[in-house]
Amino acid sequence: MSDFTSDFWHIYVGGLALVSIIACAILLWVSGTTKAATHADNTTGHVWDVDLKEMNNPLPKWWVYLFIITVVFALIYGALYPMFGKFQGALGWSSQGQHATEVKKAEDAIAPVYAKFTGMTPEQMVADPEARAIGERLFMNYCAQCHGSDARGSKSFPNLTDGDWLGGTGHEYIKTTIANGRTGVMPPMAAAVGSAEDVRNLAHYVLSLSGSPNDSVRATLGKEKFAACAACHGPDGKGMHAMGAPNLTDGTWLHGWGEDAIVRAVNNGFTNHMPAQSALLNEAQINVLASYVWGLSTKPGTAQ
Ligand code: HEC
Ligand code: HEC
């Protein structure tokens, strides 16, 4: 239930709670029974502002009863709920337990909404306006902060509408990515390429692959250095899903383009991470959401 590794804090917290309640009860009892020394006129002898005298009257009854009720309430509360350190309380209540019950209740309530989609193919879901509407709402809640509300992404956050994928294709790939997240890793490659001049030449060769503006002399010089990149990006630079390495020939740049951007890529590499969503979304939700995302770059009727 708690993260404490020793019993000390349980005893400390539980003891403190119990001692405070007992101290309140004692204070109540003592102040109700002990009589303070008073003068004959029932004052304590303290006078303020010329004529303001402190009397020694008993506490009002309603106030005393209220005080007794709070002490009794605290003891009953402590017996029912986790208040005294590790003691769970007679009701066995816990905030995690309550959270789990509420999550379960919410999931039971939405299960029928999703039930009709589980039997559908991704194509059918893409064609279904209700599935698309639910998928879009899920996307706005869970994905838009990184991929943009139009799913077109931004620097280092992939565009999900262009049909250009890092690590696979189709509905299954998108489902797996949502559930488990993914990490794209390119190691720093400068040492394998050579001098700073070699890296610049290689950058121009990479730019030439997509027909981007480049210095053709440098590109020719850099061509052979691309051997260091071929293991992941493929000998022709068209990328490799198994390595998560993007196509360098299509003019789509996840991390920015130009000589500087590519030199930086080679020198520093990348570690680009998308967190797993399986703790936030259940399987049925991921299924509908994946169809929505897949539909952004796929027309209904086209094969996966
Ligand atoms: C915290 C930011 C973040 C959130 C939230 C996030 N993503 Fe991502 N996503 C990324 C990053 C970064 C990548 C690229 C990872 C890489 O380079 O391998 C990525 C990659 C992907 C890919 C693979 C793209 C490709 O080209 O292969 C898909 C599909 C995807 N996200 C879908 C989603 C969906 C659907 C959601 C909502 C549940 C979501 N993402 C939420 C940051 C995020
Ligand atoms: C070990 C595999 C690996 C090797 C070797 C490798 N890369 Fe990469 N590269 C990747 C991966 C994976 C990514 C995508 C990182 C991500 O998910 O954000 C990437 C991304 C890039 C990008 C960014 C593409 C974009 O769309 O913005 C460039 C440019 C690049 N690599 C160039 C090179 C060059 C040039 C070499 C050779 C010196 C090279 N890479 C070697 C795996 C590799």
Side-chain angles (χ1 to χ4, degrees), residues 19-286:
V19 165
S20 317
I21 295 172
I22 292 169
C24 285
I26 292 174
L27 179 69
L28 184 64
W29 185 71
V30 169
S31 61
T33 51
T34 332
K35 201 132 178 64
T38 51
H39 297 252
D41 60 353
N42 195 32
T43 66
T44 60
H46 299 154
V47 180
W48 290 274
D49 290 346
V50 186
D51 60 351
L52 201 54
K53 291 182 189 146
E54 184 183 3
M55 308 293 286
N56 183 32
N57 291 326
L59 292 166
K61 280 264 172 344
W62 66 266
W63 194 92
V64 176
Y65 289 144
L66 217 62
F67 206 164
I68 293 172
I69 289 171
T70 59
V71 170
V72 173
F73 176 86
L75 289 171
I76 295 176
Y77 185 92
L80 295 179
Y81 288 97
M83 178 164 109
F84 298 118
K86 218 180 199 154
F87 175 57
Q88 245 335 98
L91 295 181
W93 182 92
S94 72
S95 52
Q96 283 118 315
Q98 180 172 350
H99 178 251
T101 319
E102 283 170 15
V103 168
K104 171 98 180 46
K105 220 169 104 190
E107 288 196 341
D108 287 349
I110 56 169
V113 178
Y114 285 96
K116 67 166 177 250
F117 302 124
T118 42
M120 285 187 177
T121 64
E123 285 87 352
Q124 285 167 330
M125 278 188 277
V126 170
D128 185 295
E130 195 187 349
R132 278 206 309 272
I134 293 174
E136 183 174 10
R137 278 200 292 277
L138 291 172
F139 189 88
M140 291 305 163
N141 279 336
Y142 294 96
C143 324
Q145 70 269 40
C146 289
H147 291 283
S149 51
D150 59 358
R152 286 176 191 280
S154 58
K155 193 159 179 257
S156 301
F157 297 98
N159 183 342
L160 303 177
T161 69
D162 60 2
D164 183 24
W165 302 101
L166 289 164
T169 52
H171 186 253
E172 272 307 315
Y173 166 66
I174 299 172
K175 250 168 67 171
T176 315
T177 304
I178 298 171
N180 305 339
R182 59 169 288 118
T183 305
V185 181
M186 165 165 157
M189 293 298 295
V193 174
S195 67
E197 204 56 15
D198 290 334
V199 173
R200 278 185 69 191
N201 293 342
L202 173 60
H204 282 273
Y205 174 69
V206 171
L207 286 168
S208 76
L209 293 174
S210 54
S212 307
N214 65 88
D215 177 331
S216 58
V217 177
R218 282 188 177 278
T220 312
L221 289 170
K223 185 171 185 207
E224 63 174 282
K225 298 293 178 191
F226 195 75
C229 323
C232 295
H233 291 281
D236 51 4
K238 288 199 192 303
M240 226 183 276
H241 282 163
M243 307 303 294
N247 186 342
L248 301 174
T249 69
D250 59 2
T252 302
W253 301 98
L254 178 57
H255 296 285
W257 73 284
E259 183 189 303
D260 288 350
I262 298 172
V263 166
R264 223 176 301 125
V266 174
N267 287 339
N268 306 337
F270 298 107
T271 304
N272 207 26
H273 180 62
M274 160 158 164
Q277 306 287 310
S278 51
L280 303 171
L281 295 161
N282 67 30
E283 222 179 296
Q285 289 172 311
I286 291 176

